[in-house]
Amino acid sequence: METLLLSFGAIFLAEMGDKTQLVALAFATRFRPGVVLAGVAAATLVVHLLSVAIGEVLGVTLPRVWVAVLAGVAFIAFGLWTLRGDTLEGENPGQRRARFGPFLTVAVAFFLAELGDKTMLATVTLAGQLRDAVPVWLGSTVGMVAADGIAVVAGVVAGRRIPEKAVKLVAAGLFIVSGLWLLLGAALNQQ
């Protein structure tokens, strides 16, 4: 249960202000909220299953101290990445014509946007560190859908904005502190 909650919290924070959250918000301005959330959930289940598989392989092949060091550095990088922020480049995905229906349009766009994204990499890191695949997969998926649910609600509620800067600062701070904590733990375990 602890792994599930940790994965939920880490991915929920990582998704705040992320480009895929902006994608969900954009789609929510065009399609029904339930369809957007279903598309996001389907894409997230697949991407995070792949992420957990990669993380499990890395967790088994690398010594535990190196996994902790890599996780610490990765979490600090995620914090800095969160501070930098993400933006959508080019065309607004919520404004494109849906050729394959709303569900498939959202699912495919979200899947492609998530590949190589910080939340995917955070899930790989968690899986390698915690070595408990199913709770990491489920926790990270639910955390992602919950964070994107906020974006969907924001997209539906016209004229309101989530205080993006405050969310980014809190999320970034938590990632950096977590990364420093992992590095400290790794250093103390080497002595």
Side-chain angles (χ1 to χ4, degrees):
M1 185 62 140
E2 184 179 327
T3 299
L4 183 98
L5 293 174
L6 179 63
S7 298
F8 171 88
I11 300 307
F12 182 85
L13 288 173
E15 183 63 3
M16 290 298 170
D18 193 63
K19 73 176 180 275
T20 48
Q21 191 179 42
L22 299 174
V23 168
L25 188 142
F27 278 126
T29 64
R30 173 112 192 245
F31 303 125
R32 289 190 334 259
V35 172
V36 175
L37 278 177
V40 166
T44 302
L45 280 167
V46 175
V47 169
H48 286 218
L49 182 61
L50 174 66
S51 303
V52 167
I54 293 168
E56 285 287 322
V57 168
L58 292 176
V60 169
T61 58
L62 293 175
R64 204 160 195 54
V65 69
W66 283 108
V67 172
V69 168
L70 291 173
V73 169
F75 271 71
I76 291 169
F78 299 149
L80 296 173
W81 191 348
T82 300
L83 283 175
R84 181 192 66 118
D86 283 326
T87 57
L88 292 173
E89 295 176 13
E91 187 178 3
N92 183 348
Q95 299 302 316
R96 280 188 266 173
R97 186 171 170 260
R99 292 184 185 147
F100 305 109
F103 172 79
L104 196 55
T105 298
V106 171
V108 169
F110 200 85
F111 177 84
L112 293 174
E114 185 60 18
L115 291 177
D117 196 53
K118 73 180 169 192
T119 47
M120 180 185 181
L121 298 175
T123 302
V124 169
T125 302
L126 287 167
Q129 180 75 18
L130 302 173
R131 297 185 190 171
D132 200 358
V134 173
V136 171
W137 177 48
L138 294 176
S140 66
T141 298
V142 173
M144 180 81 128
V145 173
D148 290 326
I150 292 171
V152 168
V153 169
V156 171
V157 178
R160 297 192 182 201
R161 282 184 44 114
I162 297 172
E164 189 175 328
K165 188 171 184 170
V167 171
K168 281 184 182 181
L169 288 174
V170 169
L174 289 172
F175 267 113
I176 291 169
V177 167
S178 297
L180 292 172
W181 184 260
L182 284 168
L183 290 175
L184 179 63
L188 292 175
N189 285 333
Q190 280 300 99
Q191 296 177 355

